[in-house]
Amino acid sequence: MILKRTFLFLFCLKLTVEHGFPHQPSALAFDPKLQLMAIGTKSGAIKIYGAPGVEFTGLHKDATAVTQILFLPGRGCLLSVLDDNTIHRWELVAESTREVGGVKKEGVVSLREVDSYSLPGRPGIESSRYQKCEGTHQHNVCPSLPIVLTHPSVMQRHPGDCPPLAKVILPDDYRCGKSLGPVESLQEHPQQAGKILIGYSRGLVVLWDLSSRHADQLFLGKQQLESLVWERSGNLFVSSHNDGGYSVWAVTNGNIYNHQPVSSTIPYGPFPCKAITKILWRTTQLSSPVILYSGGMPRASYGDRHCLTIQQDKEHVTLDFTSRVIDFFTVHNMDNDKEFDDPSALVVLLEEELVVIDLLTPGWPSLPTPYLAPLHSSAITCSCHVTNVSTKLWERLINAGKKWPICGGKSLAPPPRQQELLLTGHEDGTVRFWDASGVALTPLYKLSTANVFHTDCDPIDDPHDPCDDPDMQQQEEEEEWPPFRKVGCFDPYSDDPRLGIQKISLCKYSNKLVVAGTAGQVIVLGLNDERSDHLVDVSVMDLLQDREGFTWKGHDRLEPRLKPAPFLPGFQPLVLLQCLPPASVTAVALHAEWNLVAFGTSHGFGLFDYHRRNAVLARCTLHPNDSLAMEGPLSRVKSLKKSLRQSFRRIRKSRVSGKKRAVITTTSKVQEANAALAEQEEVAPVQRRIEPRSADDSLSGVVRCFCFADTFLRDGTHHGPTLWAGTNSGSVYAYALEVPGVDSGRTCERGGASESSMCVEAVLGKEIQLMHRAPVVSICVLDGRGKPLPDPYEASQDLSIAPDMTNAHSVLIASEEQLKVFSLPKVSAKTKFKLTAHEGCRVRKVALVLFSSAVQEDYSEHTLVCLTNMGDMHLFNMPGLRPQVRFDCIRKEDISGIASCVFTKNGQGFYLISPSEYERFSLSAKVLIKPQCSVQLLRHLGHIINSKTKHTPGI
């Protein structure tokens, strides 16, 4: 069978692309000729971006911070300077065209390191002295500067061991201290390639001629220098300083010494200000120059702000960001025959996001980016993937959100065969919809649930988000000085942590969405293309069922609004279901065809009919010793003594069970069907002995998973709707449901026999207790062919192959320790695989995936994929549970990555590699998402190389 699968080429692990914003960015560069942008990170990564789908990634051998990046314009080359005083040269390299099976295939383009150099100086200390030379010419990219500047009391040479080539005498009346300080800025002359500006920390600026190796002019600044920038004509340059001011200097052919600038300004004076760390001066044809600079804020009042200022004539805006400014550049006219810069956009790299400002539109509003949007604008708390989304739903989501512009570059990726959505839940109560169909993870729509409740920061006063509506970005400037404007989407602070989204479920056929939160709130939403002002229905369900001896010590519930609230087009709340106690929701399931939603917490689970606003079922799963479940996730009253006491109890029980194995008795209504068979089995030499868990373990009542299924539960001849629930203590509850319109429903006592009075009822059919009480991770019902049942609406609307209802069904129950298949309706064990006993690991995530053959178009099979706490993937065939292949995917130390992993139905997956980045991987040999693009590179021989990444079929 393994040989067959090898021949069919079903499985292959490949890390395909990284989605999101680079973690801890440290450097920025822009190639105006190729329209490529590069970002360096503190972990030593280099990421190059063009149009959506144009991405290249390189990683230095040592995980050292990238301090500077410089493109060689038009050549597909860049230089990176690391914190360890090394320079690395990177190139976009295309493999030679090769012939495969008589067909010529173009080589794959990749970013490769081709050379590296070491600089003198101590690592991490002297590297800041080596500044990149910014300019438009290609052949003077990082010139050495062996200059000797003599003074009656000082001689400075840069860099260290180079012999002096020229000597410049400073005037006697110029006092700059005992040292000129390190070189802070190198700027190439915009019109004369052989001349550069050299700016020293103490304020001296030298115009140096590389060809003649002498100084054309000295600018004797007296204030500590931060940065330099040329005016386009080369007749002026601007210097920024640490006192929060900037100066304009004139470049003349007369006197070699220039003592005074043309003008000097401290924009936010006269009180002490912070340094202007970088400044840009861009000329325009129709108006005054545009001046852009970072920093310069009044130290006492706004010294903690992260700001960038834009000035032109009387227009003055101070962009206020929520994270530190790393670097910025403008997109402007670079043609040498043009007289003006005429900037069109400002690109700002922040510590947590990338912001683009439109410089052509009055008011300078923000532009939404087609990718690199901050996934972690609010911390990600959960995620959900939906495949094969219909075109109608897709268009409605786009209309509810906004249209995102396409930026520079050219992507050759064909349109995806199917549209995929990635939904992320966040700490601030928002759900974001992302286009996950291709390489670029593009934001489509954002839903906020905060306006359903009363919070400290009421979103009703401002229902629009500046990240969502470009028309709302130009806010009224504050009357106080400076004229701040909040810009960016990153907001690390939540108004109320109870708003956090914990679970998401979307039905793509009925356009129903369920989101569940930290304070026990479960919201059912429907898609509406129009704005609506309405009151949200509220239902409360007590999961404790008046059980005595339990007192909730955690946070309070969120207060729902009692008046109609405005809701923007998109998903709008229909009903709010509040669990009591208001503990975090741990599991949720939606069956839109039956109008049912199941939800679970650490106290129990419930079933709700959102169409009739009727509570169907409430079941408490608490054990008498589950006092920890009453403290809530936001409480800090966990008892250390109790934890130690429970640990010693486990040790004693383990010793006793090691001497004499006792049969574990259960108090459940139906004992585990194969308990006797399991007790008779001998532990194989390759298996580890697994000790039973105590029934009084804390949080044993946590509900972990749900499953809706139309199957055989009462007998083998009549099938009907069922609900399955699994808990942390290894308990599985199976309920037979009576749903109006699906089977013979019952009428409510207070109503008549009309359809509106028919209500859903739930009757407990089976209660299973797993022998070792391992937490139940997943439950799935299989049809007579051993295949998973189709999703709601798929069978009734002929959207998939109808399930086999003639042969006996079975149920797959996956616990943390083993996988087991039971026959239905008798619930007798058919087959199992003890993953913990064999591999010494525990199951964390489970998914049933349909794998298609990469060589045989009409062949596919369902496979069970398990992610363990060791970060590896185990694949099993269904329903025999025979191991197929094992992959090492995630580092076992990456606990957050394992916890955040989500699988797709076609063999792909996502997991967080940082708070702001998803790693996308594929277990399928056929379905791959890989960058594919064309890049025109201008090499030294002058010809154009047109390179493409390899096209991967299946997307």
Side-chain angles (χ1 to χ4, degrees), residues 474-533:
Q474 186 177 353
Q475 302 175 357
E476 295 183 1
E477 297 179 356
E478 301 177 12
E479 295 181 359
E480 61 178 349
W481 184 261
F484 289 115
R485 181 202 298 169
K486 290 287 185 181
V487 178
C489 300
F490 178 73
D491 184 8
Y493 308 106
S494 174
D495 297 331
D496 194 329
R498 296 175 296 174
L499 290 170
I501 305 298
Q502 297 298 323
K503 297 295 176 181
I504 305 172
S505 181
L506 172 66
C507 176
K508 60 186 177 182
Y509 301 112
S510 64
N511 301 331
K512 291 294 189 298
L513 173 69
V514 172
V515 296
T518 304
Q521 69 271 27
V522 180
I523 308 175
V524 182
L525 306 100
L527 189 59
N528 190 352
D529 298 329
E530 303 295 333
R531 178 188 173 99
S532 175
D533 297 87

Coordinates of all heavy atoms in Angstrom, one line a residue, residues 474-533:
Q474 N -8.8 60.8 6.9 CA -8.5 62.2 7.1 C -9.4 62.8 8.2 O -10.4 63.3 8.0 CB -8.7 63.0 5.8 CG -8.2 64.4 5.9 CD -8.3 65.1 4.5 OE1 -8.7 64.5 3.5 NE2 -8.1 66.4 4.5
Q475 N -8.9 62.6 9.4 CA -9.7 63.1 10.6 C -9.4 64.6 10.8 O -8.4 65.2 10.3 CB -9.3 62.3 11.8 CG -9.5 60.8 11.6 CD -9.0 60.0 12.8 OE1 -8.5 60.6 13.7 NE2 -9.2 58.7 12.8
E476 N -10.3 65.2 11.6 CA -10.0 66.6 11.9 C -8.8 66.7 12.8 O -8.7 66.0 13.8 CB -11.3 67.1 12.6 CG -12.5 67.2 11.8 CD -13.7 67.8 12.5 OE1 -13.5 68.2 13.7 OE2 -14.8 67.9 11.9
E477 N -8.0 67.6 12.4 CA -6.8 67.9 13.2 C -7.1 68.5 14.5 O -8.0 69.3 14.7 CB -5.8 68.7 12.4 CG -5.3 68.1 11.1 CD -4.4 69.0 10.4 OE1 -4.2 70.2 10.9 OE2 -3.9 68.6 9.3
E478 N -6.3 68.1 15.5 CA -6.5 68.7 16.8 C -6.1 70.1 16.9 O -5.2 70.6 16.2 CB -5.7 67.9 17.9 CG -6.1 66.4 17.9 CD -5.2 65.6 18.9 OE1 -4.5 66.3 19.6 OE2 -5.2 64.4 18.8
E479 N -6.8 70.9 17.7 CA -6.5 72.3 17.8 C -5.2 72.6 18.4 O -4.5 73.5 18.1 CB -7.6 73.0 18.6 CG -9.0 73.0 17.9 CD -10.0 73.7 18.7 OE1 -9.7 74.2 19.8 OE2 -11.2 73.8 18.3
E480 N -4.7 71.7 19.3 CA -3.5 71.9 19.9 C -2.3 71.6 19.0 O -2.5 71.0 17.9 CB -3.4 71.0 21.2 CG -3.5 69.5 20.8 CD -3.3 68.6 22.1 OE1 -2.9 69.1 23.1 OE2 -3.6 67.4 22.0
W481 N -1.2 72.0 19.3 CA 0.0 71.9 18.5 C 0.9 70.8 19.2 O 1.0 70.8 20.4 CB 0.8 73.2 18.5 CG 2.0 73.2 17.6 CD1 3.3 73.0 18.0 CD2 2.0 73.3 16.2 NE1 4.1 73.1 16.9 CE2 3.4 73.2 15.8 CE3 1.1 73.4 15.2 CZ2 3.8 73.3 14.5 CZ3 1.5 73.5 13.9 CH2 2.8 73.4 13.5
P482 N 1.5 69.9 18.4 CA 1.4 69.7 17.0 C 0.1 69.1 16.5 O -0.7 68.5 17.2 CB 2.6 68.6 16.8 CG 3.4 68.6 18.0 CD 2.4 69.0 19.1
P483 N -0.1 69.2 15.2 CA -1.4 68.7 14.6 C -1.3 67.2 14.3 O -1.1 66.7 13.2 CB -1.5 69.4 13.2 CG 0.0 69.7 12.9 CD 0.7 69.9 14.1
F484 N -1.6 66.4 15.4 CA -1.5 65.0 15.3 C -2.6 64.4 14.5 O -3.7 64.9 14.5 CB -1.5 64.3 16.7 CG -0.2 64.6 17.5 CD1 -0.3 65.4 18.6 CD2 1.0 64.1 17.1 CE1 0.9 65.6 19.4 CE2 2.1 64.3 17.9 CZ 2.1 65.1 19.0
R485 N -2.3 63.3 13.8 CA -3.3 62.4 13.2 C -2.9 61.0 13.4 O -1.8 60.5 13.0 CB -3.3 62.7 11.7 CG -4.4 61.8 11.0 CD -4.2 61.7 9.5 NE -4.2 62.9 8.8 CZ -3.8 63.1 7.5 NH1 -3.3 62.0 6.9 NH2 -3.8 64.3 7.0
K486 N -3.8 60.2 14.0 CA -3.6 58.8 14.3 C -3.5 58.0 12.9 O -4.5 58.1 12.1 CB -4.6 58.2 15.2 CG -4.6 58.7 16.6 CD -3.4 58.1 17.3 CE -3.4 58.5 18.8 NZ -2.2 57.9 19.5
V487 N -2.5 57.3 12.7 CA -2.3 56.6 11.5 C -1.9 55.1 11.8 O -1.1 54.9 12.7 CB -1.3 57.2 10.5 CG1 -1.1 56.4 9.3 CG2 -1.7 58.6 10.2
G488 N -2.3 54.2 11.0 CA -1.9 52.8 11.2 C -3.0 52.0 11.9 O -4.0 52.5 12.5
C489 N -2.9 50.6 11.8 CA -3.9 49.7 12.3 C -3.4 49.0 13.5 O -4.2 48.4 14.2 CB -4.2 48.6 11.2 SG -4.8 49.3 9.7
F490 N -2.1 49.0 13.8 CA -1.6 48.3 14.9 C -2.1 48.9 16.2 O -1.8 50.1 16.5 CB -0.1 48.2 14.9 CG 0.5 47.5 16.1 CD1 0.4 46.1 16.2 CD2 1.2 48.1 17.1 CE1 1.0 45.4 17.2 CE2 1.7 47.5 18.2 CZ 1.6 46.1 18.2
D491 N -2.8 48.1 17.1 CA -3.2 48.6 18.3 C -3.1 47.5 19.4 O -3.9 46.6 19.5 CB -4.7 49.0 18.2 CG -5.3 49.6 19.5 OD1 -4.4 49.8 20.5 OD2 -6.5 49.8 19.6
P492 N -2.0 47.5 20.1 CA -1.7 46.4 21.0 C -2.6 46.3 22.3 O -2.5 45.4 23.0 CB -0.2 46.6 21.4 CG -0.1 48.1 21.3 CD -1.0 48.6 20.2
Y493 N -3.4 47.4 22.5 CA -4.1 47.5 23.7 C -5.6 47.2 23.4 O -6.2 47.7 22.4 CB -4.0 48.8 24.4 CG -2.6 49.2 24.6 CD1 -2.0 50.2 23.8 CD2 -1.8 48.6 25.6 CE1 -0.6 50.6 24.0 CE2 -0.5 49.0 25.7 CZ 0.1 49.9 24.9 OH 1.4 50.3 25.1
S494 N -6.2 46.3 24.2 CA -7.6 46.0 24.0 C -8.4 46.8 25.0 O -8.0 46.9 26.2 CB -7.9 44.5 24.2 OG -9.2 44.2 24.2
D495 N -9.6 47.3 24.6 CA -10.4 48.1 25.5 C -10.9 47.2 26.6 O -11.1 47.6 27.7 CB -11.6 48.6 24.7 CG -11.2 49.6 23.6 OD1 -10.2 50.3 23.9 OD2 -11.9 49.7 22.6
D496 N -11.2 45.9 26.3 CA -11.7 45.0 27.3 C -11.2 43.6 26.9 O -11.7 43.1 25.8 CB -13.2 45.1 27.4 CG -13.7 44.4 28.6 OD1 -13.1 43.4 29.1 OD2 -14.8 44.8 29.2
P497 N -10.4 42.9 27.7 CA -9.9 41.6 27.3 C -11.1 40.5 27.2 O -10.9 39.5 26.5 CB -8.9 41.2 28.4 CG -9.3 42.1 29.5 CD -9.8 43.3 29.0
R498 N -12.2 40.8 27.7 CA -13.3 39.9 27.6 C -13.9 39.8 26.2 O -14.6 38.9 25.9 CB -14.4 40.3 28.6 CG -14.0 40.2 30.1 CD -15.2 40.8 30.9 NE -15.4 42.2 30.7 CZ -16.4 42.9 31.3 NH1 -17.3 42.3 32.1 NH2 -16.6 44.2 31.0
L499 N -13.5 40.8 25.4 CA -14.0 40.8 24.0 C -13.3 39.8 23.1 O -13.7 39.5 22.0 CB -13.8 42.2 23.4 CG -14.7 43.4 23.9 CD1 -14.3 44.7 23.4 CD2 -16.2 43.1 23.5
G500 N -12.2 39.3 23.6 CA -11.4 38.4 22.8 C -12.1 37.3 22.1 O -13.0 36.6 22.8
I501 N -11.8 37.0 20.9 CA -12.5 35.9 20.1 C -11.7 34.6 20.3 O -10.5 34.6 20.2 CB -12.6 36.2 18.6 CG1 -13.3 37.6 18.4 CG2 -13.3 35.1 17.9 CD1 -14.7 37.7 18.8
Q502 N -12.5 33.6 20.7 CA -11.8 32.3 21.0 C -12.1 31.2 20.0 O -11.3 30.4 19.7 CB -12.3 31.8 22.4 CG -11.9 32.7 23.6 CD -10.3 32.8 23.7 OE1 -9.6 31.8 23.5 NE2 -9.9 34.0 24.0
K503 N -13.3 31.3 19.4 CA -13.7 30.2 18.4 C -14.5 30.9 17.3 O -15.3 31.9 17.5 CB -14.6 29.1 19.0 CG -13.8 28.3 20.1 CD -12.7 27.5 19.5 CE -11.9 26.8 20.6 NZ -10.7 26.1 20.1
I504 N -14.3 30.4 16.1 CA -15.0 30.9 14.9 C -15.5 29.7 14.1 O -14.8 28.7 13.9 CB -14.1 31.7 14.0 CG1 -13.4 32.8 14.8 CG2 -14.8 32.3 12.8 CD1 -12.4 33.6 14.0
S505 N -16.8 29.8 13.5 CA -17.3 28.8 12.6 C -18.1 29.5 11.6 O -19.0 30.3 11.9 CB -18.2 27.8 13.4 OG -18.7 26.8 12.5
L506 N -17.8 29.2 10.3 CA -18.5 29.9 9.2 C -19.1 28.8 8.3 O -18.5 27.9 7.9 CB -17.5 30.8 8.4 CG -18.1 31.3 7.1 CD1 -19.2 32.4 7.3 CD2 -16.9 32.0 6.3
C507 N -20.4 29.1 7.9 CA -21.1 28.2 6.9 C -21.1 29.0 5.6 O -21.8 30.0 5.5 CB -22.5 27.9 7.4 SG -23.4 26.9 6.1
K508 N -20.4 28.6 4.6 CA -20.2 29.3 3.4 C -21.4 29.2 2.5 O -21.6 29.9 1.5 CB -19.0 28.8 2.6 CG -19.0 27.3 2.3 CD -17.7 26.9 1.7 CE -17.8 25.4 1.4 NZ -16.5 24.9 0.8
Y509 N -22.3 28.3 2.8 CA -23.5 28.1 2.0 C -24.7 29.0 2.4 O -25.5 29.5 1.6 CB -23.9 26.6 1.9 CG -22.9 25.7 1.4 CD1 -22.2 24.8 2.3 CD2 -22.5 25.7 0.1 CE1 -21.3 23.9 1.8 CE2 -21.5 24.9 -0.4 CZ -20.9 24.0 0.5 OH -19.9 23.2 0.0
S510 N -24.8 29.1 3.7 CA -26.0 29.9 4.3 C -25.5 31.3 4.7 O -26.4 32.1 5.1 CB -26.6 29.2 5.5 OG -25.6 29.1 6.5
N511 N -24.2 31.6 4.6 CA -23.7 32.9 5.0 C -24.0 33.2 6.5 O -24.3 34.3 6.9 CB -24.2 34.0 4.2 CG -23.9 33.8 2.7 OD1 -22.9 33.2 2.3 ND2 -24.8 34.3 1.8
K512 N -23.9 32.1 7.3 CA -24.0 32.3 8.8 C -22.6 32.1 9.4 O -21.8 31.3 9.0 CB -25.0 31.2 9.3 CG -26.4 31.4 8.9 CD -27.0 32.7 9.5 CE -28.5 32.8 9.3 NZ -28.9 32.9 7.9
L513 N -22.4 33.0 10.4 CA -21.1 33.0 11.1 C -21.4 33.0 12.6 O -22.3 33.6 13.1 CB -20.4 34.3 10.8 CG -19.1 34.5 11.5 CD1 -18.0 33.5 11.1 CD2 -18.5 35.9 11.2
V514 N -20.6 32.2 13.3 CA -20.7 32.1 14.8 C -19.3 32.4 15.3 O -18.3 31.9 14.9 CB -21.1 30.7 15.3 CG1 -21.0 30.6 16.8 CG2 -22.5 30.4 14.9
V515 N -19.3 33.4 16.2 CA -18.0 33.8 16.9 C -18.3 33.7 18.4 O -19.4 34.1 18.9 CB -17.5 35.2 16.6 CG1 -17.1 35.2 15.1 CG2 -18.6 36.2 16.9
A516 N -17.3 33.1 19.2 CA -17.5 33.0 20.6 C -16.3 33.6 21.3 O -15.1 33.6 20.8 CB -17.6 31.5 20.9
G517 N -16.5 34.2 22.5 CA -15.5 35.0 23.1 C -15.0 34.5 24.5 O -15.4 33.4 25.0
T518 N -14.2 35.4 25.1 CA -13.6 35.1 26.4 C -14.6 35.1 27.5 O -14.4 34.4 28.6 CB -12.5 36.0 26.6 OG1 -11.6 36.0 25.5 CG2 -11.7 35.7 27.9
A519 N -15.6 35.9 27.4 CA -16.6 36.1 28.6 C -17.8 35.3 28.4 O -18.9 35.7 28.8 CB -16.9 37.5 28.7
G520 N -17.8 34.1 27.6 CA -18.9 33.3 27.5 C -19.9 33.7 26.5 O -21.0 33.2 26.4
Q521 N -19.6 34.7 25.6 CA -20.5 35.2 24.6 C -20.4 34.4 23.3 O -19.3 34.2 22.9 CB -20.3 36.7 24.4 CG -19.0 37.1 23.6 CD -17.8 37.3 24.5 OE1 -17.7 36.8 25.6 NE2 -16.8 38.1 24.1
V522 N -21.5 34.1 22.8 CA -21.6 33.4 21.5 C -22.6 34.2 20.7 O -23.7 34.4 21.0 CB -22.2 31.9 21.7 CG1 -22.3 31.2 20.3 CG2 -21.3 31.1 22.7
I523 N -22.1 34.7 19.5 CA -22.8 35.6 18.7 C -23.1 34.9 17.3 O -22.1 34.4 16.7 CB -22.1 36.9 18.4 CG1 -21.7 37.5 19.8 CG2 -23.0 37.9 17.6 CD1 -20.9 38.8 19.7
V524 N -24.3 34.8 16.9 CA -24.7 34.3 15.6 C -24.9 35.5 14.7 O -25.7 36.4 15.0 CB -25.9 33.4 15.7 CG1 -26.3 32.8 14.3 CG2 -25.7 32.3 16.7
L525 N -24.3 35.5 13.5 CA -24.4 36.6 12.6 C -24.8 36.2 11.2 O -24.5 35.0 10.8 CB -23.0 37.3 12.5 CG -22.4 37.8 13.8 CD1 -21.3 36.8 14.2 CD2 -21.8 39.2 13.7
G526 N -25.5 37.1 10.5 CA -25.9 36.8 9.1 C -25.3 37.9 8.3 O -25.1 39.0 8.7
L527 N -25.2 37.6 7.0 CA -24.6 38.6 6.0 C -25.7 39.5 5.5 O -26.7 39.0 5.0 CB -23.9 37.8 4.9 CG -23.0 38.6 3.9 CD1 -21.9 39.4 4.7 CD2 -22.4 37.7 2.9
N528 N -25.4 40.8 5.5 CA -26.4 41.8 5.0 C -25.6 42.8 4.3 O -24.6 43.3 4.7 CB -27.1 42.4 6.2 CG -28.3 43.3 5.8 OD1 -28.4 43.6 4.6 ND2 -29.1 43.8 6.7
D529 N -26.1 43.1 3.0 CA -25.4 44.0 2.2 C -25.7 45.5 2.5 O -25.1 46.4 1.9 CB -25.7 43.8 0.7 CG -25.3 42.4 0.3 OD1 -24.3 41.9 0.8 OD2 -26.0 41.8 -0.6
E530 N -26.6 45.8 3.4 CA -27.0 47.1 3.7 C -26.7 47.4 5.2 O -26.7 46.5 6.0 CB -28.5 47.3 3.4 CG -28.9 47.0 2.0 CD -28.3 48.0 1.0 OE1 -28.0 49.2 1.4 OE2 -28.1 47.6 -0.2
R531 N -26.5 48.7 5.5 CA -26.4 49.1 6.9 C -27.7 48.9 7.6 O -28.8 49.0 7.0 CB -26.0 50.6 6.9 CG -25.9 51.1 8.3 CD -25.7 52.6 8.3 NE -25.7 53.2 9.6 CZ -24.7 53.6 10.3 NH1 -23.5 53.4 9.8 NH2 -24.8 54.1 11.5
S532 N -27.6 48.5 8.9 CA -28.8 48.2 9.6 C -28.7 48.7 11.1 O -27.6 48.7 11.7 CB -29.1 46.7 9.7 OG -30.1 46.4 10.5
D533 N -29.8 49.3 11.6 CA -29.9 49.7 13.0 C -30.9 48.8 13.6 O -32.1 48.9 13.4 CB -30.3 51.2 13.1 CG -29.2 52.1 12.5 OD1 -29.3 52.3 11.2 OD2 -28.3 52.5 13.2

